[in-house]
Amino acid sequence: GTRIGRSELKPGDLVLFFGDLHHIGLYAGNNLVLHAPRTGTVVRYESMDNMPFQFGVRIG
């Protein structure tokens, strides 16, 4: 896919977090990401501001 910055995100883009890119989610729009915070928790919407965003990726 194509690497994009935070200001270019659209719903459905992949969003990668943390310096080692160990966490990924789906951008849902309105500064929200859909993700599973850790093993054993439910998938949920959360503010993008709660994790260190690195970059987004648009597929297709």
Side-chain angles (χ1 to χ4, degrees):
T2 303
R3 188 181 284 205
I4 54 176
R6 189 170 179 154
S7 65
E8 301 170 279
L9 290 172
K10 293 182 180 179
D13 290 338
L14 301 176
V15 284
L16 290 88
F17 298 94
F18 299 95
D20 63 357
L21 308 178
H22 74 265
H23 193 72
I24 190 167
L26 286 173
Y27 184 65
N30 297 321
N31 199 44
L32 294 174
V33 61
L34 181 63
H35 74 128
R38 61 191 164 279
T39 302
T41 60
V42 297
V43 173
R44 66 182 184 209
Y45 292 97
E46 189 167 349
S47 171
M48 292 266 298
D49 298 330
N50 292 345
M51 296 174 283
F53 174 79
Q54 300 300 306
F55 58 87
V57 175
R58 183 163 301 140
I59 306 296

Coordinates of all heavy atoms in Angstrom, one line a residue:
G1 N 0.8 -1.2 0.0 CA 0.0 0.0 0.0 C 0.9 1.3 0.0 O 2.1 1.2 0.0
T2 N 0.2 2.4 0.1 CA 0.9 3.7 0.1 C 0.9 4.2 1.5 O -0.1 4.3 2.2 CB 0.1 4.7 -0.8 OG1 0.0 4.1 -2.2 CG2 0.8 6.0 -0.9
R3 N 2.1 4.7 1.9 CA 2.3 5.3 3.2 C 1.7 6.7 3.2 O 2.0 7.4 2.3 CB 3.7 5.3 3.6 CG 4.0 5.7 5.1 CD 5.4 5.7 5.4 NE 5.9 4.4 5.6 CZ 7.0 4.1 6.3 NH1 7.7 5.1 6.9 NH2 7.4 2.9 6.5
I4 N 0.9 7.0 4.2 CA 0.3 8.3 4.3 C 0.4 8.9 5.7 O 0.6 8.2 6.7 CB -1.2 8.3 3.9 CG1 -2.0 7.2 4.7 CG2 -1.3 8.0 2.4 CD1 -3.5 7.2 4.4
G5 N 0.3 10.2 5.8 CA 0.3 10.9 7.1 C -1.0 11.0 7.7 O -2.1 10.7 7.1
R6 N -1.0 11.4 9.0 CA -2.3 11.5 9.7 C -3.3 12.4 9.1 O -4.5 12.1 9.1 CB -2.0 12.0 11.1 CG -3.1 11.9 12.1 CD -2.7 12.1 13.5 NE -3.8 12.0 14.4 CZ -3.7 11.7 15.7 NH1 -2.5 11.5 16.2 NH2 -4.8 11.7 16.4
S7 N -2.9 13.5 8.5 CA -3.9 14.4 7.9 C -4.5 13.8 6.6 O -5.5 14.4 6.2 CB -3.2 15.7 7.6 OG -2.2 15.6 6.6
E8 N -4.0 12.8 6.1 CA -4.5 12.2 4.8 C -5.4 11.0 5.1 O -5.9 10.4 4.1 CB -3.3 11.8 4.0 CG -2.4 12.9 3.6 CD -1.1 12.4 2.9 OE1 -0.2 11.9 3.6 OE2 -1.1 12.4 1.7
L9 N -5.5 10.6 6.3 CA -6.3 9.3 6.6 C -7.7 9.4 6.2 O -8.4 10.4 6.4 CB -6.2 9.0 8.1 CG -4.9 8.6 8.7 CD1 -4.9 8.5 10.2 CD2 -4.4 7.3 8.1
K10 N -8.2 8.3 5.7 CA -9.7 8.1 5.4 C -10.1 6.8 6.0 O -9.3 5.9 6.2 CB -9.9 8.0 3.8 CG -9.5 9.3 3.1 CD -9.8 9.1 1.6 CE -9.5 10.4 0.9 NZ -9.7 10.3 -0.5
P11 N -11.4 6.7 6.4 CA -11.9 5.5 7.0 C -11.5 4.3 6.1 O -11.6 4.3 4.9 CB -13.4 5.7 7.0 CG -13.6 7.2 7.1 CD -12.5 7.7 6.3
G12 N -11.0 3.2 6.8 CA -10.6 2.0 6.1 C -9.1 1.9 6.0 O -8.6 0.8 5.7
D13 N -8.4 3.0 6.2 CA -6.9 3.0 6.1 C -6.4 2.2 7.3 O -6.9 2.3 8.4 CB -6.3 4.4 6.1 CG -6.6 5.1 4.8 OD1 -6.8 4.5 3.8 OD2 -6.5 6.4 4.8
L14 N -5.3 1.5 7.1 CA -4.6 0.9 8.2 C -3.8 2.0 9.0 O -3.2 2.9 8.3 CB -3.6 -0.2 7.7 CG -4.2 -1.3 6.9 CD1 -3.1 -2.2 6.4 CD2 -5.2 -2.1 7.8
V15 N -3.7 1.9 10.3 CA -2.9 2.8 11.1 C -2.0 2.1 12.0 O -2.4 1.1 12.6 CB -3.9 3.8 11.9 CG1 -4.5 4.8 11.0 CG2 -5.0 3.0 12.6
L16 N -0.7 2.5 11.9 CA 0.3 1.8 12.7 C 0.8 2.7 13.8 O 1.0 3.9 13.6 CB 1.5 1.4 11.8 CG 1.1 0.3 10.8 CD1 0.5 0.9 9.5 CD2 2.3 -0.5 10.4
F17 N 1.0 2.0 15.0 CA 1.4 2.7 16.2 C 2.7 2.2 16.8 O 3.1 1.1 16.6 CB 0.3 2.6 17.2 CG -1.0 3.2 16.8 CD1 -2.0 2.4 16.1 CD2 -1.3 4.5 16.9 CE1 -3.2 3.0 15.7 CE2 -2.5 5.1 16.5 CZ -3.4 4.3 15.9
F18 N 3.3 3.0 17.6 CA 4.5 2.7 18.4 C 5.7 2.7 17.4 O 5.6 2.3 16.2 CB 4.4 1.5 19.2 CG 3.3 1.6 20.2 CD1 2.0 1.1 20.0 CD2 3.5 2.2 21.4 CE1 1.0 1.2 20.9 CE2 2.5 2.3 22.4 CZ 1.2 1.8 22.1
G19 N 6.9 3.0 17.9 CA 8.1 3.1 17.1 C 8.5 1.8 16.4 O 9.0 1.8 15.4
D20 N 8.2 0.6 17.1 CA 8.5 -0.6 16.5 C 7.3 -1.2 15.7 O 7.4 -2.3 15.2 CB 8.9 -1.6 17.5 CG 7.9 -2.0 18.6 OD1 6.7 -1.4 18.5 OD2 8.1 -2.8 19.4
L21 N 6.3 -0.4 15.5 CA 5.1 -0.7 14.7 C 4.4 -2.0 15.1 O 3.9 -2.8 14.4 CB 5.5 -0.9 13.2 CG 6.2 0.3 12.6 CD1 6.6 0.1 11.2 CD2 5.4 1.6 12.7
H22 N 4.4 -2.3 16.4 CA 3.8 -3.5 17.0 C 2.3 -3.5 17.1 O 1.7 -4.5 17.5 CB 4.5 -3.9 18.3 CG 4.1 -3.1 19.5 ND1 4.8 -2.0 19.9 CD2 3.0 -3.2 20.3 CE1 4.2 -1.5 21.0 NE2 3.1 -2.2 21.2
H23 N 1.7 -2.4 16.8 CA 0.2 -2.3 16.9 C -0.4 -1.7 15.6 O 0.1 -0.7 15.1 CB -0.2 -1.5 18.1 CG -1.6 -1.7 18.5 ND1 -2.1 -2.8 19.0 CD2 -2.7 -0.9 18.3 CE1 -3.4 -2.7 19.2 NE2 -3.8 -1.5 18.8
I24 N -1.5 -2.3 15.2 CA -2.1 -1.9 13.9 C -3.6 -1.9 14.1 O -4.2 -2.7 14.9 CB -1.7 -2.7 12.7 CG1 -2.2 -2.1 11.4 CG2 -2.2 -4.2 12.9 CD1 -1.5 -2.8 10.2
G25 N -4.3 -0.9 13.5 CA -5.7 -0.9 13.6 C -6.3 -0.3 12.3 O -5.6 -0.1 11.3
L26 N -7.6 -0.1 12.2 CA -8.3 0.5 11.1 C -8.8 1.8 11.5 O -9.4 2.0 12.5 CB -9.5 -0.4 10.7 CG -9.2 -1.7 10.0 CD1 -10.5 -2.5 9.8 CD2 -8.5 -1.5 8.6
Y27 N -8.5 2.8 10.6 CA -9.0 4.2 10.9 C -10.5 4.2 10.6 O -10.9 3.7 9.6 CB -8.2 5.2 10.0 CG -8.7 6.6 10.3 CD1 -8.4 7.2 11.5 CD2 -9.3 7.4 9.4 CE1 -8.8 8.5 11.8 CE2 -9.7 8.7 9.7 CZ -9.4 9.2 10.9 OH -9.8 10.5 11.2
A28 N -11.2 4.7 11.5 CA -12.7 4.7 11.4 C -13.3 6.1 11.1 O -14.5 6.3 11.0 CB -13.3 4.2 12.7
G29 N -12.4 7.1 11.0 CA -12.9 8.5 10.8 C -13.0 9.2 12.2 O -13.0 8.6 13.2
N30 N -13.1 10.5 12.1 CA -13.4 11.3 13.3 C -12.3 11.1 14.4 O -12.7 11.0 15.6 CB -14.8 11.1 13.9 CG -15.8 11.6 12.9 OD1 -15.6 12.6 12.2 ND2 -16.9 10.9 12.8
N31 N -11.1 10.8 14.0 CA -10.0 10.6 15.0 C -10.1 9.3 15.8 O -9.6 9.2 16.9 CB -9.8 11.8 15.9 CG -8.4 11.9 16.6 OD1 -7.4 11.6 15.9 ND2 -8.4 12.1 17.9
L32 N -10.9 8.4 15.3 CA -11.1 7.1 15.9 C -10.4 5.9 15.2 O -10.4 5.9 14.0 CB -12.6 6.8 16.1 CG -13.4 7.7 17.0 CD1 -14.9 7.3 16.9 CD2 -12.9 7.6 18.4
V33 N -9.9 5.0 16.0 CA -9.3 3.8 15.4 C -10.1 2.6 15.9 O -10.5 2.6 17.1 CB -7.8 3.7 15.7 CG1 -7.5 3.6 17.2 CG2 -7.1 2.5 15.0
L34 N -10.3 1.6 15.1 CA -10.9 0.3 15.5 C -9.8 -0.7 15.7 O -9.0 -0.9 14.8 CB -11.9 -0.1 14.4 CG -12.7 -1.4 14.7 CD1 -13.6 -1.3 15.9 CD2 -13.5 -1.8 13.5
H35 N -9.7 -1.2 16.9 CA -8.6 -2.1 17.2 C -8.9 -3.0 18.5 O -9.8 -2.7 19.2 CB -7.3 -1.3 17.5 CG -7.2 -0.6 18.8 ND1 -6.2 -0.7 19.6 CD2 -8.1 0.2 19.4 CE1 -6.4 0.0 20.7 NE2 -7.6 0.6 20.6
A36 N -8.0 -4.0 18.7 CA -8.1 -4.8 19.9 C -6.9 -4.3 20.7 O -5.7 -4.6 20.3 CB -8.0 -6.3 19.5
P37 N -7.1 -3.7 21.8 CA -6.0 -3.1 22.6 C -4.9 -4.2 23.0 O -3.7 -3.8 23.0 CB -6.7 -2.5 23.8 CG -8.1 -2.3 23.4 CD -8.4 -3.4 22.4
R38 N -5.3 -5.4 23.3 CA -4.4 -6.4 23.7 C -5.1 -7.8 23.7 O -6.4 -7.8 23.6 CB -3.8 -6.2 25.1 CG -4.8 -6.1 26.2 CD -4.3 -5.6 27.5 NE -5.3 -5.3 28.4 CZ -6.0 -4.1 28.4 NH1 -5.7 -3.2 27.5 NH2 -7.0 -3.9 29.3
T39 N -4.4 -8.8 23.7 CA -4.9 -10.2 23.7 C -5.9 -10.3 24.8 O -5.7 -9.9 25.9 CB -3.8 -11.2 23.8 OG1 -2.9 -11.0 22.7 CG2 -4.4 -12.6 23.7
G40 N -7.1 -10.9 24.5 CA -8.1 -11.1 25.5 C -9.1 -10.0 25.7 O -10.1 -10.2 26.4
T41 N -8.9 -8.9 25.0 CA -9.9 -7.8 25.1 C -10.8 -7.7 23.8 O -10.4 -8.3 22.8 CB -9.2 -6.4 25.3 OG1 -8.4 -6.2 24.2 CG2 -8.5 -6.4 26.6
V42 N -11.9 -7.1 23.9 CA -12.8 -7.0 22.8 C -12.3 -5.9 21.8 O -11.6 -4.9 22.2 CB -14.2 -6.7 23.2 CG1 -14.8 -7.8 24.0 CG2 -14.3 -5.4 24.0
V43 N -12.6 -6.0 20.6 CA -12.3 -5.0 19.6 C -13.2 -3.8 19.9 O -14.4 -3.9 20.2 CB -12.6 -5.5 18.2 CG1 -12.5 -4.4 17.1 CG2 -11.7 -6.7 17.8
R44 N -12.6 -2.6 19.8 CA -13.3 -1.4 20.2 C -12.8 -0.2 19.5 O -11.7 -0.2 18.9 CB -13.3 -1.1 21.7 CG -11.9 -0.8 22.2 CD -11.9 -0.6 23.7 NE -10.5 -0.2 24.1 CZ -10.0 -0.5 25.3 NH1 -10.8 -1.2 26.2 NH2 -8.9 0.0 25.7
Y45 N -13.6 0.9 19.5 CA -13.2 2.2 18.9 C -12.5 3.0 20.0 O -12.9 2.9 21.2 CB -14.4 3.0 18.5 CG -15.1 2.4 17.3 CD1 -16.2 1.6 17.4 CD2 -14.6 2.7 16.0 CE1 -16.9 1.1 16.3 CE2 -15.3 2.2 14.9 CZ -16.4 1.4 15.1 OH -17.0 0.8 14.0
E46 N -11.4 3.7 19.7 CA -10.6 4.4 20.6 C -10.0 5.7 19.9 O -9.8 5.6 18.7 CB -9.5 3.6 21.2 CG -8.8 4.2 22.4 CD -8.0 3.2 23.1 OE1 -8.1 2.0 22.9 OE2 -7.2 3.7 24.0
S47 N -9.8 6.7 20.7 CA -9.2 7.9 20.1 C -7.8 7.6 19.6 O -7.0 6.9 20.3 CB -9.2 9.0 21.2 OG -8.4 10.1 20.7
M48 N -7.5 8.2 18.5 CA -6.1 8.1 17.9 C -5.1 8.7 18.9 O -3.9 8.4 18.8 CB -6.0 8.8 16.6 CG -6.8 8.1 15.5 SD -5.8 7.0 14.5 CE -4.6 8.0 13.8
D49 N -5.5 9.6 19.7 CA -4.6 10.3 20.6 C -4.1 9.5 21.8 O -3.2 9.9 22.5 CB -5.3 11.6 21.2 CG -5.7 12.6 20.1 OD1 -5.0 12.6 19.0 OD2 -6.7 13.3 20.3
N50 N -4.7 8.3 22.0 CA -4.3 7.4 23.1 C -3.0 6.6 22.8 O -2.6 5.8 23.7 CB -5.4 6.5 23.5 CG -6.6 7.3 24.1 OD1 -6.4 8.5 24.5 ND2 -7.7 6.7 24.2
M51 N -2.5 6.6 21.5 CA -1.4 5.8 21.2 C -0.5 6.6 20.3 O -0.9 7.5 19.6 CB -1.8 4.5 20.4 CG -2.7 3.6 21.2 SD -3.3 2.2 20.2 CE -4.6 3.0 19.4
P52 N 0.8 6.3 20.3 CA 1.8 7.1 19.4 C 1.7 6.7 17.9 O 2.3 5.7 17.5 CB 3.1 6.8 20.0 CG 3.0 5.5 20.7 CD 1.6 5.4 21.1
F53 N 0.9 7.4 17.2 CA 0.7 7.2 15.7 C 2.1 7.3 15.0 O 2.8 8.3 15.2 CB -0.3 8.2 15.2 CG -0.5 8.1 13.7 CD1 -1.2 7.2 13.1 CD2 0.1 9.1 12.9 CE1 -1.4 7.1 11.7 CE2 0.0 9.0 11.5 CZ -0.8 8.0 10.9
Q54 N 2.3 6.4 14.1 CA 3.6 6.5 13.3 C 3.2 6.9 11.8 O 3.8 7.8 11.3 CB 4.3 5.1 13.3 CG 4.7 4.7 14.7 CD 5.7 5.7 15.3 OE1 6.7 6.1 14.8 NE2 5.3 6.2 16.5
F55 N 2.3 6.1 11.2 CA 1.9 6.4 9.8 C 0.7 5.6 9.5 O 0.4 4.6 10.2 CB 3.0 6.2 8.8 CG 3.6 4.9 8.7 CD1 3.1 3.9 7.9 CD2 4.8 4.6 9.5 CE1 3.6 2.6 7.8 CE2 5.3 3.3 9.4 CZ 4.8 2.3 8.6
G56 N 0.0 5.9 8.4 CA -1.1 5.2 7.9 C -0.7 4.5 6.6 O 0.3 4.9 6.0
V57 N -1.5 3.5 6.2 CA -1.2 2.8 4.9 C -2.6 2.7 4.2 O -3.5 2.2 4.8 CB -0.6 1.4 5.1 CG1 -0.5 0.7 3.8 CG2 0.8 1.6 5.8
R58 N -2.6 3.1 3.0 CA -3.8 2.9 2.2 C -3.6 1.8 1.2 O -2.7 1.8 0.4 CB -4.2 4.2 1.4 CG -5.5 4.1 0.7 CD -6.1 5.4 0.3 NE -6.3 6.2 1.5 CZ -6.1 7.5 1.6 NH1 -5.6 8.2 0.5 NH2 -6.3 8.2 2.7
I59 N -4.5 0.8 1.2 CA -4.4 -0.3 0.3 C -5.4 -0.1 -0.9 O -6.5 0.2 -0.6 CB -4.8 -1.6 1.0 CG1 -4.0 -1.8 2.3 CG2 -4.7 -2.8 0.1 CD1 -2.5 -2.0 2.1
G60 N -4.9 -0.3 -2.1 CA -5.7 -0.2 -3.2 C -5.8 1.1 -3.8 O -6.1 2.1 -3.9

